[in-house]
Amino acid sequence: MPEATWREEFATPEALTDWEPSRFISCTDASWIVTGVGVKHDSACSAVEYPEGLDAGSILRTREAEFDGGWLVARVYATDDDGVGLIYGVDKFTYYRASVDLATRLARLDLADTGHGVPYQAMEPTLDKYNTPLADALADTPQARWFLLAVRWAGGTHELYVDGQLVLTAKDSVLGPGRFGLYAYGMFDLRIDWIATYPDGPVPWEPLP
């Protein structure tokens, strides 16, 4: 198995000093906290509270570390059936978002935009019309157990994997290397054990307990 080029274990609260949370206005009660099971997303949001077309959620992204291609992998556990994903290629306003919805079993890749031309750290609600869907597909999305969510990014090719299974592929070259992180949508109990980057090459799966 290849050695990780970057890895965060979320072992202590101090780990979050290297991360920046950003919350959409409709999800202002959401929080990311380090617990005994890694970093946990605890949201007070409910899907029924979102105005039609509002793409609500919250993001935890690196302050400085960048992802320039290869593999981005996270070990994830979700007890409820909303959305979880990885973001990468983050620049001032836009980023790639690879996500799965545990309720609809839909996996998708979007070129996401803040939609209002404001700096990322002052993000306003993102409207669907400002996102560019790149691909979507049905996928087996595990609930109430640990699973691996991964993106392989090589040149203009993007691949999304769930537990080592390729679920979708897309082509896009708008964004280059940038910061990266985690995305949650309406998750009351989402846990991330670790997140890591690996060089492109063999699939970097780790055994799961």
Side-chain angles (χ1 to χ4, degrees), residues 9-53:
E9 297 281 352
F10 296 115
T12 66
E14 287 72 26
L16 288 184
T17 60
D18 296 328
W19 294 80
E20 280 184 342
S22 287
R23 298 174 295 192
F24 298 100
I25 288 176
S26 61
C27 215
T28 53
D29 291 333
S31 63
W32 296 87
I33 57 173
V34 170
T35 70
V37 290
V39 67
K40 179 180 177 181
H41 180 264
D42 181 9
S43 170
C45 296
S46 171
V48 298
E49 298 171 356
Y50 305 150
E52 184 177 358

Side-chain angles (χ1 to χ4, degrees), residues 85-194:
L86 299 168
I87 65 167
Y88 56 102
V90 176
D91 65 12
K92 193 173 184 179
F93 305 115
T94 55
Y95 53 93
Y96 290 118
R97 183 179 64 213
S99 62
V100 293
D101 187 309
L102 279 67
T104 62
R105 297 188 176 275
L106 185 68
R108 58 186 293 171
L109 178 71
D110 297 285
L111 176 61
D113 194 300
T114 63
H116 296 273
V118 297
Y120 187 90
Q121 58 269 24
M123 185 175 288
E124 299 224 3
T126 301
L127 302 179
D128 286 343
K129 67 181 180 179
Y130 293 105
N131 294 335
T132 304
L134 301 177
D136 62 66
L138 292 177
D140 182 16
T141 50
Q143 188 176 347
R145 74 166 176 83
W146 290 102
F147 69 96
L148 293 178
L149 185 63
V151 166
R152 178 176 176 261
W153 184 23
T157 300
H158 307 253
E159 297 174 345
L160 176 60
Y161 291 76
V162 176
D163 268 351
Q165 299 298 311
L166 176 64
V167 296
L168 66 78
T169 301
K171 298 282 188 179
D172 191 83
S173 300
V174 171
L175 300 177
R179 286 173 281 184
F180 58 94
L182 305 163
Y183 164 79
Y185 171 88
M187 283 286 190
F188 285 87
D189 186 7
L190 170 66
R191 312 164 201 174
I192 311 293
D193 184 17
W194 52 260

